[in-house]
Amino acid sequence: MLSSRRHTATDYFAAQEYLHSRGWTDGLPVMPPTEAAVAAMLEYALLPADHLIGVESVRARAISAEKLAINAVMAGCLPSHFPIVVTAFTAMLQEPYLLHGATASTGGNAVLIIINGPVLQELGIDSTFNVLGASDRATAPIGRAIRLVLRNLMDVRPGQVDRSTLGHPGKISFCFGEDETNTSWTPLAQQRGVPEHASAVTVMAAGSPRQLMNEWTTQPEEILDTFVAEIKTNMRHYSIWPGNYAIVVPPQLRTHFESAGWSKSDIADYVFENARIYRRDWADCGKGAVVRHKGDQQYAALPDADHLMVVAAGGPAGGFGAVIPPWLGHKSRAVTMAVGACVDCE
Amino acid sequence: MTYTMRDPTAEASPLMRERLPPPATLANRTIGLFSISKERSSEFLDEIERQFASTGATLLRFEKPTHTKPAPESLIADIIGQCDVVVEGLAD
């Protein structure tokens, strides 16, 4: 039984204008959240409407399954997508994610959602071509659902709780799956403690992806030096604070690592050791005023090697890669959660 | 076709409270200078403290543990208990 207030519109177009005019959309058309559509979401996930997903602690706002489902319908999700939306938002409500701080910050970030496990095939998630740009039927609406949930349930609208100076395009939707098929690497979720063969979601308060290219070497160290240079650039130009970084490695570069026997852990160790700058480096990019007497102080991008999330994804051709930096160092931490896991169960 | 839709918002009704009127004078009042702990916020509040020095007010300093989280309730209670006016600031 749904308990949310009812709103009526005379036809499909009136419904769009009704929802837009109240600030309940991201500007794109939405699916009208009818009772039948919302009920189908809940039924697929086997969740009662009043099931408590969690409570956002800063604003003491309780989030019910019904409210998530309404926003998932609006985003264009199928019922089969809904368990991913539930898991992603549950992960965001965990203390290390720092939901309010991350979503209210002037330093605009988006919720990066990375999907692992059997659900990739079940939902037809394509982790190859155009992977960072909405490549399939599932990832775009799942990411969008999270944005609508933030808008409508947490008031994270631009100029209200969302104080982003710039934001970035991923705030519309920033979701992709790891390519577990075309690699020998351990999936991200498994590396982060989820059992093998379980589906899982990792969320991270993320800056925009920074694309790089190195097609002129097969040496793992040289390839990683390009990733490291991009990370160091982020540290110089944006934020020096250490935290979770994600790097996305498509097949052409992955081949060189796998041929040389490099695991994700080997990559993380190399990046941890090498992605470091001195505070005096800020003077080279116009930030000399904040170097002060600490010029010789060294900063690492990662608190430890485990903070690097190495993700296999991307189309088959091209020596490209991407660095996805954190919002504000370790203030928000990436959270990984198995789909269907109960947070408070004993 | 008529659409009956369910409300996507929290349907919360925030409690709005009236702000207290400012005191007519700051003399013999207690002003709390509350740093949110962003870099250099102390520097900003030092200047505010200098400017308030001639008012005859008592100045107290408070600081959040981190700017990324709300202040602990005990800290808020301290400020409410001790201060007539609060200046909260600032960052970067």
Side-chain angles (χ1 to χ4, degrees):
Chain A
M1 179 71 80
L2 304 183
S3 61
S4 297
R5 189 169 41 190
R6 290 185 174 85
H7 302 270
T8 304
T10 51
D11 59 30
Y12 178 82
F13 296 101
Q16 296 301 317
E17 290 312 310
Y18 187 91
L19 296 166
H20 285 311
S21 66
R22 280 157 180 75
W24 294 345
T25 79
D26 50 13
L28 296 171
V30 291
M31 292 294 289
T34 61
E35 182 154 338
V38 174
M41 291 280 167
L42 294 166
E43 189 177 329
Y44 187 91
L46 301 175
L47 290 173
D50 61 355
H51 176 80
L52 182 66
I53 301 296
V55 178
E56 195 283 308
S57 58
V58 172
R59 310 186 73 210
R61 189 154 285 183
I63 307 295
S64 70
E66 175 178 336
K67 289 297 185 184
L68 283 193
I70 292 169
N71 283 280
V73 169
M74 289 173 63
C77 286
L78 299 174
S80 57
H81 303 159
F82 188 51
I84 304 297
V85 175
V86 170
T87 307
F89 202 71
T90 306
M92 290 165 63
L93 287 171
Q94 304 311 301
E95 192 272 339
Y97 189 84
L98 198 69
L99 176 63
H100 181 77
T103 55
S105 174
T106 49
N109 65 88
V111 183
L112 169 62
I113 303 164
I114 304 172
I115 302 170
N116 279 106
V119 76
L120 293 168
Q121 291 206 349
E122 292 165 17
L123 300 183
I125 293 174
D126 185 345
S127 307
T128 61
F129 294 103
N130 197 52
V131 69
L132 299 182
S135 57
D136 55 63
R137 172 71 176 88
T139 50
I142 289 169
R144 188 188 184 205
I146 291 300
R147 180 61 178 164
L148 291 181
V149 166
L150 290 172
R151 272 188 90 92
N152 290 329
L153 299 183
M154 306 307 307
D155 305 315
V156 181
R157 299 187 182 90
Q160 295 181 22
V161 171
D162 182 344
R163 311 301 293 178
S164 297
T165 307
L166 293 171
H168 70 75
K171 290 184 94 162
I172 291 281
S173 177
F174 199 10
C175 175
F176 65 95
E178 180 161 23
D179 182 356
E180 298 183 5
T181 306
N182 303 302
T183 182
S184 60
W185 282 348
T186 304
L188 174 70
Q190 243 175 278
Q191 281 211 307
R192 293 173 59 81
V194 172
E196 191 178 3
H197 305 310
S199 294
V201 176
T202 299
V203 293
M204 171 184 164
S208 54
R210 308 166 68 99
Q211 186 165 272
L212 54 89
M213 177 170 64
N214 187 347
E215 298 182 323
W216 302 280
T217 181
T218 61
Q219 297 301 308
E221 293 90 344
E222 289 186 339
I223 295 168
L224 287 179
D225 285 344
T226 309
F227 281 92
V228 165
E230 194 63 48
I231 291 171
K232 288 162 74 168
T233 298
N234 181 68
M235 294 171 76
R236 276 194 290 265
H237 296 178
Y238 181 58
S239 171
I240 204 166
W241 302 116
N244 288 114
Y245 277 78
I247 65 170
V248 184
V249 191
Q252 185 167 316
L253 295 184
R254 222 156 59 218
T255 298
H256 304 314
F257 290 111
E258 295 186 283
S259 298
W262 280 53
S263 67
K264 286 185 174 181
S265 296
D266 296 327
I267 290 172
D269 288 341
Y270 187 91
V271 172
F272 172 62
E273 290 299 331
N274 290 280
R276 293 160 190 258
I277 69 168
Y278 289 97
R279 196 173 176 104
R280 61 174 175 265
D281 295 339
W282 272 355
D284 299 335
C285 52
K287 300 184 180 181
V290 285
V291 174
R292 297 198 292 277
H293 61 284
K294 301 176 184 172
D296 292 335
Q297 193 166 324
Q298 193 186 53
Y299 295 81
L302 306 166
D304 57 51
D306 289 341
H307 276 73
L308 187 71
M309 304 198 299
V310 182
V311 187
F320 302 102
V323 167
I324 303 176
W327 154 57
L328 184 60
H330 62 278
K331 302 294 185 191
S332 168
R333 296 175 193 272
V335 177
T336 299
M337 188 168 285
V339 177
C342 179
V343 176
D344 298 321
C345 297
E346 295 187 357
Chain B
M1 175 184 168
T2 299
Y3 285 87
T4 301
M5 304 175 289
R6 293 297 185 146
D7 192 306
T9 71
E11 299 185 57
S13 303
L15 186 64
M16 300 298 286
R17 286 174 295 194
E18 287 291 317
R19 193 176 282 189
L20 292 174
T25 172
L26 293 175
N28 301 316
R29 301 287 186 156
T30 300
I31 302 174
L33 301 176
F34 181 20
S35 164
I36 67 167
S37 286
K38 263 199 165 181
E39 189 162 21
R40 303 182 77 178
S41 65
S42 292
E43 204 171 309
F44 171 77
L45 290 175
D46 287 347
E47 177 58 27
I48 298 292
E49 186 170 353
R50 270 191 293 276
Q51 295 195 19
F52 274 131
S54 60
T55 61
T58 301
L59 296 162
L60 299 177
R61 296 290 286 258
F62 300 89
E63 187 172 29
K64 279 171 62 170
T66 168
H67 68 272
T68 57
K69 296 181 182 177
E73 288 188 14
S74 58
L75 179 56
I76 299 292
D78 274 354
I79 294 171
I80 292 170
Q82 297 181 60
C83 301
D84 302 299
V85 174
V86 180
V87 177
E88 182 175 354
L90 189 63
D92 301 327

